[in-house]
Amino acid sequence: MTTTCPLPYAENERVLLGHGAGGRLTAELLESLVLPVLGDGREGPLEDAALLPGSGDLVMSTDGFVVSPLFFPGGDIGSLAVHGTVNDLAMRGAGPVALSVALLLEEGLEFGDLEAVLRSLGKAAQEAGVPVITGDTKVVGRGAADKVFITTTGIGRRLPGLSVSAAAARPGDAVLLSGPIGLHGTAVLSTREGLGFEADIASDTRPLHRLVAALAGLGGEVHALRDPTRGGLAAALNEIAHASGVAVEIDESAVPVPEPVAAACDILGLDPLHVANEGCMAAFVSPAVADEALAVMRSLPEGSGAMRIGEVAPADGHPGRVVMRTAVGARRVIDMPVGEQLPRIC
């Protein structure tokens, strides 16, 4: 008897939750269906945001937010929508200029919940220093959506001297992480399922554009930035390793995983490296400025827990591979997540 792995896409197959997880299934969906149908006018790898053609330094990003529940420790869908889009712009080295917001509302949504979401969204935009200049509102019947879905589009302007790309990591680069991982995904899951971790874990959702602006003083020594949202740190590192054609090695003991997150993941059978974050970023920088970059990151609240977690190695026949040196001295390959461990977390 022989078995074969299923193809990522066939006409009689259907969309799975895992296709929206930001891991391998998402990449396969994009490559096999979305990009061939829509046309692929981009240059280089898929990024968190894209340069507007002919604009010089303007960057654009769009994102949909379907998190359940709407409110969770440390944030809510309104603030998350602003932070997520601001951060996507920041990962291309851009400061936010303006946002648009589209609301998809389910019939029967309580006005109190809607007002709380919008107040939080407005406050987050004001604190990030980015105006909401346009938008749209639609209402669908009961059961056709889950209370509130939000789509935000952001326009940003690239910071002078900073030109970062997922394809720009180089052998020898230091891999820096601005803070602990796993907080957002475990906070949302615990609240949704009533697992009891809510008292110990709060989402890290916050804007990162000021942290990127602080790194801009290092100019061309900063090569790649990525915030590990869907798919977690594992997906972010794999994306950069693949796009740059390099290997990445990280040290397990250097990756900051808060004790409550580690405990929750252990109980739930989750890998913290695969859990989504909304307020930290990985930075690939020249080794000559690694210590300076760490000092810059640690000088701001959003980077106070920054750590050097690894380095970029020559591909040596394994381009795109991510390896972790474990606490017992072994080496473990860190793969791109395949399916959806935590649905509806952003």
Side-chain angles (χ1 to χ4, degrees):
M1 177 179 177
T2 60
T3 60
T4 58
C5 293
L7 294 174
Y9 166 73
E11 289 187 1
N12 63 342
E13 290 185 353
R14 294 188 173 144
V15 174
L16 306 173
L17 278 173
H19 285 113
R24 190 179 303 166
L25 286 180
T26 301
E28 290 173 349
L29 179 66
L30 292 173
E31 295 295 337
S32 66
L33 178 60
V34 177
L35 295 176
V37 171
L38 296 181
D40 189 0
R42 64 188 168 90
E43 296 181 3
L46 291 173
E47 303 271 12
D48 286 335
L51 287 168
L52 282 173
S55 69
D57 63 349
L58 291 181
V59 174
M60 180 177 178
S61 180
T62 193
D63 207 345
F65 297 87
V66 297
V67 63
S68 174
L70 300 181
F71 306 94
F72 46 85
D76 56 74
I77 193 172
S79 58
L80 183 66
V82 173
H83 297 161
T85 302
V86 166
N87 291 348
D88 281 348
L89 295 171
M91 296 307 105
R92 289 306 308 275
V97 173
L99 294 177
S100 76
V101 175
L103 303 173
L104 182 63
L105 311 178
E106 181 188 17
E107 181 187 17
L109 173 69
E110 294 184 5
F111 275 118
D113 286 344
L114 178 58
E115 181 180 8
V117 166
L118 293 177
R119 285 189 181 277
S120 179
L121 189 154
K123 180 182 178 183
Q126 185 178 30
E127 291 177 346
V130 56
V132 177
I133 62 170
T134 189
D136 186 38
T137 303
K138 294 291 191 300
V139 178
V140 297
R142 294 174 187 267
D146 187 359
K147 298 181 180 178
V148 180
F149 295 158
I150 300 178
T151 298
T152 47
T153 297
I155 300 292
R157 180 170 285 108
R158 297 186 83 171
L159 299 166
L162 196 59
S163 179
V164 293
S165 169
R170 306 170 189 173
D173 276 357
V175 182
L176 312 180
L177 188 65
S178 67
I181 63 170
L183 290 165
H184 177 73
T186 49
V188 172
L189 179 65
S190 182
T191 305
R192 180 193 306 161
E193 305 297 337
L195 300 178
F197 299 114
E198 302 94 308
D200 301 316
I201 303 174
S203 171
D204 62 342
T205 178
R206 56 187 163 189
L208 298 171
H209 61 300
R210 296 184 180 95
L211 192 60
V212 172
L215 288 174
L218 300 176
E221 304 296 330
V222 181
H223 300 151
L225 301 171
R226 184 60 60 98
D227 58 333
T229 53
R230 294 177 306 164
L233 183 61
L237 296 180
N238 272 277
E239 288 164 357
I240 290 177
H242 177 77
S244 298
V246 297
V248 175
E249 292 191 5
I250 61 173
D251 189 341
E252 182 179 28
S253 63
V255 178
V257 180
E259 186 174 338
V261 170
C265 288
D266 187 50
I267 292 171
L268 298 170
L270 302 174
D271 186 340
L273 295 175
H274 293 171
V275 177
N277 314 272
E278 290 292 347
C280 72
M281 70 176 187
F284 288 63
V285 305
S286 169
V289 301
D291 290 341
E292 184 179 357
L294 268 179
V296 168
M297 294 168 78
R298 290 170 177 170
S299 70
L300 296 175
E302 52 267 52
S304 60
M307 297 284 291
R308 180 171 180 166
I309 64 169
E311 61 278 331
V312 177
D316 291 336
H318 299 285
R321 188 169 71 173
V322 179
V323 174
M324 183 168 71
R325 299 184 293 269
T326 69
V328 296
R331 272 177 155 73
R332 167 190 161 199
V333 174
I334 304 299
D335 286 325
M336 176 76 80
V338 177
E340 177 68 283
Q341 287 188 325
L342 304 175
R344 305 278 307 279
I345 47 79
C346 65

